[in-house]
Amino acid sequence: MAAWSGDARESEGDRQEREHFWRVVNAFRYYRAYALERVRRAERELRALPPAHRRLLRDAALPGHLQCVRARVEHNQELLHDIILGTAEHMFENKRYRPLALEAEPTPATAFDMDKLKSTLKQLVRDWSSEGQGERDSCYRPILNAIQTYLGAASGHSGSSIKSNGNSCCDGHSSNGSNNSDGCHQNHRHQQQQENEQQQLNEQQQLNEQQQLNEQQQLNEQQQQNEQQQQHNHKQQQQQRSPRVLVPGSGLGRLAWEIARLGYSCQGNEFSLFMLFTSHYILNRCHEVDSVRLYPWVLQFSNTRRAWDRVRPVLVPDVDPSALPPGADFSMSAGDFLEVYSLDMDVWDCVATCFFLDTAHNVIAYIELIWKVLKPGGVWINMGPLLYHFENMVGESSLELSYDQIRQVIVQVGFVFEEENECVHATYTENERSMLRYIYDCVFFVVRKPALKSECS
Ligand SMILES: C[S@@+](CC[C@H](N)C(=O)[O-])C[C@H]1O[C@@H](n2cnc3c(N)ncnc32)[C@H](O)[C@@H]1O
């Protein structure tokens, strides 16, 4: 029986998960309060200035600018509400949460959660805006190229997926006009007979039309069934033949989506609810290009060259996320990579990691699991820096290996290097108008889990 998450029967793990879920929902709702407090601080600073300084700023129209910031904050809050309202309760196939009640005021969220929320907005720029194209080219393009090089063309490539819409025949009803009486005069004696005949003709015509309608309906149903069957077969064939790619730490899902768009069978995996809520919103509820407006830089007060840069909008998505080729096999799994895939063995043809390795408490555990889940002969493609996420977190374990140490582990585990580039310039959620810009010198590599001897011969 389906139970609401929150029942007395739930386990300790489920309770923690439920509390975490509501904590993240609360953070999405707390944005306005958090952001407006920041704006009020700027307003207070302005008011506290000596009159002479305020006079100097007269032409800068600062109060008006801060009003504009407020309006942008309100807009972002509406978007964040939209994301959780239509998404959060229905998102998981195997979990149900109570419908969101938005009447109660959100409670103050932690600075950590608010940082995550702000990064989620910036992540939308990286993954789903035209502005993020350059960044995606630097991070995702080398991975996509390597997938095509090492896995070969995918069987489900969009070029081969032509959808039959079945409209090439039966485009009209056959005419019954030939049965019409042409209205020539009959003598009176024959009138009754003529009327009878006419009635019979009409009835026959009605019967014919009904029969034609039925046949047409049957034809349509048959056609629909055929199409469904074709799609099902196509998907099955694709699952059987298309190389399977796993993308752990998939963020807002664009890389995984691009891989599926190329025709590979692809699963993204992500454990952050901030990311999962937002990717679900983009992937399932946004069908029109540039239909969603957000202001990702509105709380970035430092390193702004022009005041307008701070309040400028960004539009998403730059593509229709539902426009994958018919039969494409694309999915997202929610949960910790180390747990979700712990039982997989020799399952995936490729694991693609992008800015992911450094999210580990212990990167060796990631490497071991990647080895295990890959089929013999499969490849691991990696791109990213080593900005260890847990390095400065109190109470969290963190093993900060250098790249040469990681490389040794990779080789020790049994991987063979196919390709390696230790200096690939890439950015991450970059504000292209900011006066501060980080460029990572990422390491890119492709390593192979060797095929079994029997498979080689
Ligand atoms: C730096 S982001 C990179 C996201 C994406 N690959 C990209 O390039 O935009 C790392 C992502 O990995 C996710 N992540 C971290 N540890 C994870 C784990 N153990 N299992 C699944 N996802 C994880 C984080 O939530 C975050 O979204």
Side-chain angles (χ1 to χ4, degrees):
M1 188 182 79
W4 290 120
S5 197
D7 276 2
R9 287 163 286 168
E10 77 178 341
S11 68
E12 175 59 15
D14 282 348
R15 186 187 62 76
Q16 284 177 4
E17 219 174 283
R18 173 173 55 85
E19 284 178 5
H20 177 68
F21 175 90
W22 289 114
R23 207 187 81 205
V24 175
V25 168
N26 180 67
F28 269 74
R29 299 185 55 220
Y30 189 64
Y31 175 82
R32 175 192 289 115
Y34 167 86
L36 289 185
E37 180 47 38
R38 179 65 190 85
V39 181
R40 275 194 290 275
R41 212 179 92 202
E43 288 168 338
R44 278 196 300 273
E45 293 293 339
L46 198 59
R47 278 197 302 273
L49 283 178
H53 288 182
R54 261 193 278 163
R55 267 198 302 281
L56 286 174
L57 275 173
R58 210 172 28 216
D59 290 343
L62 247 171
H65 174 67
L66 290 176
Q67 269 308 107
C68 182
V69 171
R70 274 176 178 274
R72 303 314 202 221
V73 164
E74 292 292 344
H75 179 92
N76 281 350
Q77 181 62 80
E78 271 170 37
L79 170 62
L80 295 170
H81 268 154
D82 212 23
I83 291 175
I84 51 167
L85 263 180
T87 302
E89 316 103 298
H90 316 291
M91 204 177 69
F92 301 108
E93 280 168 15
N94 52 353
K95 241 193 175 77
R96 290 173 66 205
Y97 288 92
R98 287 183 196 288
L100 304 184
L102 298 185
E103 306 81 48
E105 280 297 303
T107 54
T110 61
F112 182 80
D113 281 348
M114 294 320 292
D115 277 347
K116 289 240 168 220
L117 190 61
K118 285 186 285 176
S119 328
T120 306
L121 291 177
K122 293 176 195 168
Q123 196 90 15
L124 275 171
V125 184
R126 170 179 173 84
D127 266 20
W128 294 104
S129 78
S130 311
E131 193 168 319
Q133 186 63 56
E135 189 164 304
R136 291 196 296 278
D137 285 346
S138 68
C139 296
Y140 301 161
R141 182 51 48 204
I143 296 179
L144 293 168
N145 289 345
I147 286 177
Q148 288 181 293
T149 305
Y150 290 93
L151 301 189
S155 61
H157 191 277
S158 50
S160 67
S161 53
I162 299 165
K163 188 166 179 259
S164 155
N165 54 20
N167 59 3
S168 57
C169 59
C170 302
D171 59 345
H173 300 282
S174 65
S175 164
N176 288 311
S178 58
N179 285 340
N180 278 350
S181 157
D182 62 4
C184 59
H185 291 282
Q186 306 284 331
N187 67 35
H188 199 65
R189 206 156 49 90
H190 291 138
Q191 196 165 345
Q192 185 62 42
Q193 192 187 349
Q194 201 186 11
E195 278 173 10
N196 287 348
E197 277 171 9
Q198 185 59 46
Q199 197 177 343
Q200 274 175 4
L201 267 175
N202 287 347
E203 279 170 9
Q204 188 57 44
Q205 194 173 342
Q206 272 176 3
L207 266 174
N208 285 348
E209 280 175 4
Q210 187 56 46
Q211 202 176 346
Q212 274 176 357
L213 268 175
N214 289 346
E215 278 170 9
Q216 186 62 44
Q217 203 173 342
Q218 273 177 4
L219 212 69
N220 287 346
E221 280 169 12
Q222 186 61 44
Q223 225 161 34
Q224 218 175 344
Q225 274 175 10
N226 286 349
E227 275 181 27
Q228 278 169 358
Q229 186 65 46
Q230 266 176 13
Q231 277 198 5
H232 176 77
N233 292 349
H234 190 80
K235 192 160 186 161
Q236 269 203 332
Q237 277 171 2
Q238 198 178 345
Q239 278 172 352
Q240 282 159 8
R241 287 184 302 162
S242 292
R244 302 185 67 200
V245 183
L246 173 65
V247 183
S250 52
L252 291 187
R254 182 64 178 260
L255 174 61
W257 185 89
E258 290 289 354
I259 294 169
R261 181 150 77 153
L262 289 174
Y264 300 95
S265 170
C266 187
Q267 182 161 88
N269 157 247
E270 176 55 58
F271 78 170
S272 158
L273 285 181
F274 290 93
M275 295 291 158
L276 288 165
F277 288 165
T278 311
S279 62
H280 188 275
Y281 170 78
I282 288 283
L283 291 167
N284 296 291
R285 290 175 51 213
C286 298
H287 301 304
E288 263 180 56
V289 169
D290 287 346
S291 55
V292 178
R293 191 162 32 95
L294 65 146
Y295 299 95
W297 320 114
V298 74
L299 293 181
Q300 197 163 314
F301 280 80
S302 291
N303 289 311
T304 310
R305 207 182 300 274
R306 308 262 180 274
W308 162 253
D309 293 343
R310 186 182 293 145
V311 292
R312 76 185 196 279
V314 171
L315 301 176
V316 292
D318 64 311
V319 286
D320 173 1
S322 62
L324 283 175
D329 183 29
F330 172 52
S331 58
M332 294 284 282
S333 78
D336 186 336
F337 168 59
L338 290 177
E339 287 173 19
V340 177
Y341 299 92
S342 61
L343 298 179
D344 279 10
M345 190 185 281
D346 302 347
V347 172
W348 300 91
D349 296 281
C350 173
V351 174
T353 49
C354 186
F355 281 68
F356 176 68
L357 271 191
D358 50 10
T359 66
H361 289 281
N362 170 4
V363 60
I364 301 174
Y366 276 5
I367 297 169
E368 272 182 342
L369 185 57
I370 292 170
W371 169 270
K372 188 168 131 240
V373 303
L374 274 175
K375 289 178 189 170
V379 288
W380 169 24
I381 302 168
N382 175 71
M383 160 77 103
L386 292 174
L387 179 62
Y388 286 104
H389 285 213
F390 293 105
E391 181 183 350
N392 298 312
M393 282 201 209
V394 181
E396 297 283 0
S397 71
S398 177
L399 176 73
E400 293 98 16
L401 298 186
S402 57
Y403 177 59
D404 59 345
Q405 290 162 341
I406 288 182
R407 196 181 191 289
Q408 273 179 33
V409 175
I410 292 172
V411 173
Q412 291 280 322
V413 165
F415 282 111
V416 176
F417 270 81
E418 296 275 354
E419 214 179 299
E420 188 179 27
N421 184 347
E422 286 191 25
C423 190
V424 181
H425 294 328
T427 57
Y428 192 83
T429 62
E430 182 187 54
N431 175 356
E432 62 181 18
R433 309 260 182 99
S434 172
M435 295 161 80
L436 175 66
R437 299 168 74 171
Y438 289 103
I439 294 187
Y440 293 95
D441 263 352
C442 292
V443 55
F444 172 81
F445 61 73
V446 182
V447 292
R448 192 183 291 282
K449 175 173 171 175
L452 299 174
K453 289 242 160 52
S454 57
E455 287 176 347
C456 297
S457 55

